[in-house]
Amino acid sequence: MTETKTGTRAVQLPPLPPGTAVAPGYEVLAHLSRTGWLDLYDTWSEERMCRCVVKVLRPDRRDEPRLRRRLVREGRWLEAFAHPHLVRAYETVESPEPFVVLETLTGETLSHLVHRLRHRMAARDVAFLGLHLCSATHYLHSRGLLHLDIKPSNVVVDRRLAKVLDLSVARAPGPAPPGVGTFCYLAPEQARGGTLSCAADVWGIGVTMYEVATGEVPFDEGETYEVGGDVSDGTSLGSAAGVPAGRSWQSAVGGDGWYPQLEDRAPPVGSRRNLPRGLAEAIDRCLEPGPGDRPTVGELAQTLDGLLPYGRRDVPQEPEAD
């Protein structure tokens, strides 16, 4: 619940109710979710005569220039990009209040699907999902961006089509502060800070396939935190179940540099589920601690494609280095 202080009394700032306008021409049908800095609304667009998702800053974060720029930047990217495995943006408005209009996606997030299914996803579907994630990340890499937050809650699936969401922490390859991304999904180099490359997104693909295949993340999850270094969304972290004894949640999200990815290798996916050997090896290679030991996106796509029954397809190649 969002709160502000008026004297000594906390005043709650609830989401907008249905029937109100979140932005000119967009009537709220329902509030979808609230993060540490954003509200997402299911809306009706008068101009398009259809439902859209509108992403706006939370009322108590609207006066933060950094977050305003971050929202507009993501919207501009998604407006410019066109790919079947990336969510589309229809419109980005910068002032007086910034907002981004996104397509409404049917289906459900992978994180919801993982918890809803009584049985784990079939191995061939895990490989097929991985191909879609490779396709989306290859497209981003070819445009000079790393996603850096590939995880089940940022992937929507519907009728065997996966779409990647959320470019809010995306950035160009190169130096980055520690902790850009989400705590239990960070590649070791993201947790540590330093030079980031396409290999960080290969780790994200591997972690996502691991969780979809087994129902678990490789490391103790506790709460799911988005930290994000210099682009943190300021999420209220709350308690930290799963943090080792003697560590506070502040230290668990990098306050003293502690991340489980920096201390241990990911347990082999085969220790948690019996998978075809080729798929298990592909997932484990994505989770190598050293970025140079992981496959490229193109190599991973080629491996996953070879595991599917329909035969070989063209697979993306890595963009050439400048």
Side-chain angles (χ1 to χ4, degrees), residues 6-155:
T6 302
T8 59
R9 184 172 62 90
V11 179
Q12 295 183 349
L13 299 173
L16 295 174
T20 57
V22 64
Y26 295 96
E27 179 185 343
V28 173
L29 300 177
H31 181 251
L32 296 176
S33 65
R34 170 166 280 179
T35 73
W37 64 294
L38 292 170
D39 278 315
L40 272 74
Y41 290 95
D42 180 17
T43 70
W44 180 259
S45 168
E46 296 177 1
E47 177 184 0
R48 295 176 179 83
M49 206 171 178
C50 69
R51 290 169 64 179
C52 301
V53 171
V54 173
K55 181 184 286 193
V56 296
L57 294 177
R58 247 173 41 178
D60 59 324
R61 310 301 298 271
R62 290 176 183 168
D63 294 332
E64 300 182 43
R66 176 178 56 86
L67 296 182
R68 295 171 69 95
R69 291 193 300 269
R70 180 177 172 184
L71 177 60
V72 170
R73 180 188 64 178
E74 180 186 14
R76 300 289 188 218
W77 280 335
L78 290 175
E79 275 190 276
F81 296 161
H83 191 277
H85 300 302
L86 282 175
V87 66
R88 293 179 297 167
Y90 297 136
E91 181 181 4
T92 303
V93 173
E94 189 167 358
S95 63
E97 295 298 335
F99 65 90
V100 177
V101 182
L102 302 167
E103 65 174 322
T104 295
L105 298 178
T106 57
E108 56 190 323
T109 64
L110 281 176
S111 56
H112 184 268
L113 187 66
V114 166
H115 291 98
R116 181 178 64 79
L117 291 177
R118 295 179 58 189
H119 304 287
R120 299 276 70 87
M121 187 180 290
R124 65 180 178 276
D125 290 333
V126 175
F128 194 58
L129 165 69
L131 272 177
H132 286 194
L133 299 182
C134 286
S135 181
T137 53
H138 165 76
Y139 180 86
L140 292 174
H141 296 171
S142 70
R143 278 147 183 79
L145 283 181
L146 307 178
H147 188 283
L148 298 180
D149 204 18
I150 298 174
K151 57 185 179 181
S153 62
N154 277 343
V155 181

Side-chain angles (χ1 to χ4, degrees), residues 30 36 52 105 114 163 166 268 286-288 292-293 296 300-301:
C52 301
L105 298 178
V114 166
K163 288 203 175 191
D166 195 354
C286 291
L287 301 180
E288 286 289 340
D293 296 325
T296 66
L300 177 60

Side-chain angles (χ1 to χ4, degrees), residues 273-302:
R273 179 180 170 186
N274 185 24
L275 292 171
R277 180 178 177 181
L279 178 59
E281 289 177 349
I283 294 173
D284 288 341
R285 285 191 64 207
C286 291
L287 301 180
E288 286 289 340
D293 296 325
R294 298 171 209 149
T296 66
V297 172
E299 290 168 346
L300 177 60
Q302 186 171 7

Side-chain angles (χ1 to χ4, degrees), residues 51 158 164 196 211 238 290:
R51 290 169 64 179
D158 182 41
V164 175
L196 301 184
E211 184 171 356

